[in-house]
RNA sequence: UGGGGCGUCGCCAAGCGGUAAGGCACCGGAUUUUGAUUCCGGCAUUCCCAGGUUCGAUCCCUGGCGCCCCAGCCA
């Protein structure tokens, strides 16, 4: 036991734990993160992971990674592997081996028999439809099954037959005998075991009956000595059942604590929907950089530390909350600003000829201006450059403070000289296609005497520029809450991906998969880990830079 | 309309009867070879509403109002 990290924010779960520790009800903190391997982890899971592993770490306890694999119809090893990778990438350690609910199938089966013997469970032979009808409604009590009072012997025999594969799917089911009139629907004789002739990803065809979540989860926690079983709010109504099984079985009793799940604006979080986006090819896959999955964010370039910061920043509570996507993006900027090397690249090129500069120079440009220790890279400069179209205005508008290029205006070329726009050339359509500028050759590494040049723009030497593919990502949905649309798919943002290219400074060609750079004045870009080849990087825009000028305009 | 929850600044969120933390956003201003970063300063006489108890209530009581979850042999 230890005192919690004083820097850790107070929340109701820590309060409960502190009380448990103080009162001596618990002498350690053991939590668990229990994903079902039926899909990839998303940012909502990250909240749970950070919470569970974070609590365990702060209290010097332990957090188990346990796969809740009780439904072979939906679960696959591919998901197990992806989940392990994501949890590890987020920076958490689950010890030697991950655990599996399926490791406890034998024990669970014995416990089911125990309850049958106690007269607390019975085999029902109604059809699923009959069961549904007899369950009653929210306002009417249910009716007891005609099979509810079978003898213990008959129940034992039928359950054994179920296990032995003598009955087809759906023909029988093991139910807890509780109360068909309970106002809590979960207590109206809930299902414990169903027949499922499906191979399990780990137990193969050893079993053809599988435990339901309610009959499995609490006991799994109990076996592992979990002290605080943290789950989301929708399981609150299941808590009486969770406690019921633990009590009837007379085993170690963990405490279930529920918190509000994460909702993020402009995205959907249900695994069913994410799976549909993947299956119907609305996205490239689970790790599409637009997906709210951990793998998608990793590929997009979001640092694990940023996700952890986000999870801490949003807090934990019981009130339904919606977090704006910009909060996550801000965490990403915060992390990347501190770590990413700076580079120059132009996305919307406009040609600039420097009339008084015929040579080629190899300039030194810092990798990270705030951290001189990170050194410099070589940046070639010549008389023909590409700059961004947004940095020139033929007729700068009144906005008092415009300090980019325009006729007769001066501007600093980032890491290079100050230039002045002497003339500009248009094509027959009236579009500006080239700028003729003169450079003040006495301004490299120093400011000119007597005048102040406020504007600074990025550029790249035309003859040295490297053309690299760039994917500009935007939010996947263009409605704050896609679930409010008639069909969430109709809220899909058709412009969530724009493929284009950038003219990049040469040093960028050595960029390695997964590396993130700040393209100065533009945003952060990460080398795609799937589509890049050695010497041929493909860049994903991770997030833009904050742009207060855009707001002023 | 049965049961279980929730309602503190634009968005999160502390607070647990003693007179409203913090973060993000936002608004000023300073520094700056990224209109970025950084840095300073501002930002709820008020806690869903109405009564009540109390010297004193966001915290207790009563009654409203609003929102979320539950009728899978999913988790």
């Amino acid at each position: 036991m230890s005192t919690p990290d004083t820097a850790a924010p107070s929340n109701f779960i820590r309060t409960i734990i502190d009380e448990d520790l103080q009162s001596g009800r618990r002498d350690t903190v053991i939590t668990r993160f229990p994903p079902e391997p039926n899909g990839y982890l998303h940012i909502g899971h990250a909240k749970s992971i950070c919470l569970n592993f974070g609590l365990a770490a702060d209290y010097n306890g332990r957090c188990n990674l346990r796969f809740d694999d009780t439904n072979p119809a939906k679960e696959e090893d591919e998901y197990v592997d992806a989940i392990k990778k994501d949890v590890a990438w987020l920076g958490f350690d689950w010890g030697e081996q991950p655990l599996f609910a399926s490791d406890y199938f034998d024990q669970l089966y014995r416990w089911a028999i125990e309850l049958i013997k106690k007269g607390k469970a019975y085999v029902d032979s109604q059809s699923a439809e009959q069961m549904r009808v007899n369950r009653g409604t929210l306002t009417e009590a249910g009716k007891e099954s005609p099979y509810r009072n079978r003898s213990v012997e008959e129940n034992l025999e039928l359950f054994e037959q179920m296990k032995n594969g003598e009955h087809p799917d759906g023909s029988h089911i093991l139910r807890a005998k509780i109360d068909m009139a309970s106002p809590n629907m979960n207590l109206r004789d809930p299902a414990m075991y169903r027949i499922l002739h499906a191979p399990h990803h780990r137990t193969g065809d050893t079993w053809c009956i599988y435990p339901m979540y309610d009959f499995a989860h609490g006991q799994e926690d109990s076996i592992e000595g979990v002290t605080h079983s943290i789950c989301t709010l929708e399981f609150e109504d299941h808590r009486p059942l969770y406690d019921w099984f633990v009590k009837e079985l007379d085993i170690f009793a963990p405490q279930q604590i529920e918190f509000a799940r994460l909702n993020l604006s402009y995205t959907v979080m249900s695994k069913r929907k994410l799976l549909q986006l993947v299956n119907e090819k609305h996205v490239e896959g689970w790790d599409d950089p637009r997906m709210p999955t951990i793998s998608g964010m990793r590929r997009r370039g979001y640092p694990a530390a940023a996700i952890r910061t986000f999870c801490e920043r949003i807090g934990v509570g019981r009130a339904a909350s919606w977090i704006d996507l910009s909060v996550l993006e801000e965490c990403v900027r915060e992390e990347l600003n501190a770590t990413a090397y700076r580079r120059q690249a132009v996305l919307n090129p406009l040609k600039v000829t420097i009339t008084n500069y015929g040579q080629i120079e190899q300039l030194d440009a810092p990798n990270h201006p705030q951290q001189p220790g990170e050194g410099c890279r070589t940046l070639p400069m010549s008389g023909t450059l590409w700059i961004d179209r947004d940095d020139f205005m033929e007729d700068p508008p009144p906005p008092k403070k415009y300090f980019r290029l325009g006729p007769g205006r001066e501007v600093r070329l980032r890491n290079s000289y100050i230039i002045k726009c002497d003339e500009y050339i248009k094509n027959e359509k009236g579009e500006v296609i080239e700028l003729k500028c003169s450079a003040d050759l006495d301004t490299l590494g120093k400011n000119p005497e007597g005048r102040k040049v406020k504007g600074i723009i990025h550029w790249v030497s035309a003859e040295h520029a490297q053309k690299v593919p760039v994917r500009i990502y935007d939010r996947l949905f263009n409605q704050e809450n896609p679930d409010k649309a008639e069909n969430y798919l109709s809220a899909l943002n058709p412009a969530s991906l724009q493929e284009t290219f950038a003219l990049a400074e040469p040093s960028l060609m050595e960029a390695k998969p997964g590396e993130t750079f700040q393209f100065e004045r533009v945003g952060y870009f990460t080398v795609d880990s799937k589509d890049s080849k050695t010497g041929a990087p493909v860049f994903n825009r991770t997030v833009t830079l904050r742009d207060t000028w855009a707001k002023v305009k």
Side-chain angles (χ1 to χ4, degrees), chain A residues 265-450:
Chain A
S265 64
Y266 301 102
T267 160
V268 296
M269 214 71 94
S270 102
K271 276 203 239 177
R272 200 208 100 230
K273 286 174 183 153
L274 296 178
L275 178 62
Q276 186 183 14
L277 291 175
V278 171
N279 285 342
E280 295 179 7
K281 311 262 194 256
H282 294 107
V283 294
E284 199 186 294
W286 286 99
D287 66 348
D288 185 297
R290 292 165 294 181
M291 290 283 271
T293 52
I294 305 298
S295 54
M297 293 181 174
R298 176 167 60 236
R299 192 171 163 199
R300 173 87 168 251
Y302 287 14
I307 293 175
R308 277 185 250 117
T309 299
F310 172 74
C311 291
E312 191 167 301
R313 197 166 281 181
I314 59 178
V316 185
R318 289 174 63 85
S321 62
W322 277 88
I323 308 292
D324 199 90
L325 192 55
S326 62
V327 176
L328 211 206
E329 291 182 333
E330 197 47 39
C331 293
V332 172
R333 288 192 187 100
E334 202 172 293
E335 184 65 26
L336 258 19
N337 174 56
T339 58
Y341 276 10
R342 305 304 104 132
R343 291 293 183 266
Q344 291 184 180
V346 172
L347 266 66
N348 300 298
L350 172 62
K351 187 179 178 184
V352 170
T353 300
I354 301 181
T355 52
N356 63 336
Y357 189 86
Q359 66 270 42
I360 284 174
E361 276 183 282
Q362 299 297 332
L363 306 174
D364 280 333
N367 286 319
H368 195 123
Q370 274 85 52
Q371 294 168 40
E374 295 298 326
C376 292
R377 85 282 188 179
T378 300
L379 182 63
M381 167 75 188
S382 69
T384 307
L385 316 173
W386 294 113
I387 66 165
D388 205 290
R389 300 202 84 89
D390 289 345
D391 290 330
F392 174 81
M393 262 191 181
E394 186 182 357
D395 185 22
K400 31 284 176 185
K401 297 179 184 172
Y402 173 83
F403 26 82
R404 299 185 184 180
L405 237 27
R409 285 173 171 272
E410 262 190 325
V411 99
R412 155 81 64 184
L413 289 177
R414 176 69 168 161
N415 294 127
S416 181
Y417 303 91
I418 284 175
I419 59 169
K420 181 179 186 178
C421 177
D422 301 314
E423 56 181 297
Y424 57 101
I425 300 167
K426 291 183 178 184
N427 62 14
E428 53 290 341
K429 284 190 284 187
E431 299 161 339
V432 176
I433 54 167
E434 185 183 347
L435 267 33
K436 299 270 194 200
C437 301
S438 50
D440 180 338
L441 273 3
D442 195 33
T443 54
L444 186 62
K446 61 178 173 183
N447 287 126
E449 304 274 324

Side-chain angles (χ1 to χ4, degrees), chain A residues 5-67:
Chain A
D5 184 345
T6 47
S10 166
N11 64 50
F12 77 98
I13 297 178
R14 284 174 182 277
T15 302
I16 291 172
I17 292 176
D18 289 340
E19 285 169 1
D20 287 346
L21 257 21
Q22 264 168 36
S23 70
R25 191 165 95 93
R26 305 288 187 197
D27 57 10
T28 183
V29 174
I30 297 177
T31 58
R32 102 267 92 114
F33 172 61
E36 182 189 10
N38 68 342
Y40 280 56
L41 261 25
H42 54 62
I43 185 73
H45 292 112
K47 177 179 180 181
S48 175
I49 291 167
C50 291
L51 218 204
N52 279 296
F53 280 93
L55 248 16
D58 288 349
Y59 286 90
N60 266 317
R62 185 180 82 233
C63 178
N64 294 337
L65 169 61
R66 182 182 72 229
F67 290 93

Side-chain angles (χ1 to χ4, degrees), chain A residues 33-313:
Chain A
F33 172 61
E36 182 189 10
N38 68 342
Y40 280 56
L41 261 25
H42 54 62
I43 185 73
H45 292 112
K47 177 179 180 181
S48 175
I49 291 167
C50 291
L51 218 204
N52 279 296
F53 280 93
L55 248 16
D58 288 349
Y59 286 90
N60 266 317
R62 185 180 82 233
C63 178
N64 294 337
L65 169 61
R66 182 182 72 229
F67 290 93
D68 218 354
D69 55 351
T70 57
N71 184 1
K74 294 183 175 176
E75 297 151 4
E76 298 172 21
D77 274 333
E78 178 203 341
Y79 297 129
V80 171
D81 296 337
I83 289 167
K84 283 158 67 178
K85 183 176 179 183
D86 288 346
V87 174
W89 178 74
L90 276 174
F92 298 105
D93 177 11
W94 58 79
E96 317 76 61
Q97 291 297 319
L99 303 168
F100 292 84
S102 50
D103 290 337
Y104 312 136
F105 280 174
D106 282 313
Q107 176 64 265
L108 256 8
Y109 179 73
R110 288 196 297 274
W111 275 332
I113 287 173
E114 193 178 324
L115 290 185
I116 292 174
K117 286 180 177 166
K118 277 182 74 176
K120 299 288 186 178
Y122 64 98
V123 172
D124 196 354
S125 305
Q126 297 182 99
S127 67
E129 171 63 12
Q130 286 171 314
M131 266 181 67
R132 190 183 62 73
V133 170
N134 288 336
R135 187 155 29 234
T137 68
L138 295 179
T139 53
E140 299 164 62
K143 291 194 191 68
E144 295 188 351
S145 165
Y147 303 97
R148 198 172 197 258
N149 294 310
R150 288 215 250 233
S151 67
V152 168
E153 293 65 36
E154 190 182 0
N155 281 323
L156 248 17
E157 192 182 328
L158 278 168
F159 188 49
E160 166 106 31
Q161 290 170 3
M162 282 167 63
K163 188 198 75 161
N164 291 339
E166 294 171 33
H167 299 284
D169 290 6
S171 56
H172 302 283
I173 191 162
L174 185 69
R175 289 230 253 175
K177 190 187 284 190
I178 306 181
D179 178 9
M180 288 306 290
S182 173
N184 181 342
M185 300 297 286
N186 296 117
L187 263 18
R188 318 245 264 227
D189 289 10
M192 291 167 57
Y193 261 97
R194 75 284 215 189
I195 302 173
L196 233 39
H197 288 271
H200 185 277
H201 75 116
R202 295 187 77 241
T203 61
D205 53 11
T206 303
W207 298 89
C208 62
I209 57 171
Y210 293 91
M212 297 290 292
Y213 167 85
D214 285 311
F215 184 65
H217 207 90
Q219 290 90 298
E220 293 163 17
D221 287 339
S222 183
I223 290 169
E224 295 175 12
V226 169
T227 53
H228 303 270
S229 179
I230 300 165
C231 62
T232 45
L233 245 28
E234 65 271 27
F235 289 101
E236 192 158 22
D237 289 341
H238 293 245
R239 194 171 63 225
L241 182 52
Y242 182 108
D243 293 340
W244 190 87
F245 282 125
V246 162
K247 181 165 182 294
E248 291 299 332
L249 259 11
D250 193 27
I251 54 180
F252 173 78
Q255 177 184 5
Q256 177 178 301
I257 301 170
E258 312 85 13
F259 71 97
R261 69 189 319 154
L262 168 66
N263 292 298
L264 244 201
S265 64
Y266 301 102
T267 160
V268 296
M269 214 71 94
S270 102
K271 276 203 239 177
R272 200 208 100 230
K273 286 174 183 153
L274 296 178
L275 178 62
Q276 186 183 14
L277 291 175
V278 171
N279 285 342
E280 295 179 7
K281 311 262 194 256
H282 294 107
V283 294
E284 199 186 294
W286 286 99
D287 66 348
D288 185 297
R290 292 165 294 181
M291 290 283 271
T293 52
I294 305 298
S295 54
M297 293 181 174
R298 176 167 60 236
R299 192 171 163 199
R300 173 87 168 251
Y302 287 14
I307 293 175
R308 277 185 250 117
T309 299
F310 172 74
C311 291
E312 191 167 301
R313 197 166 281 181

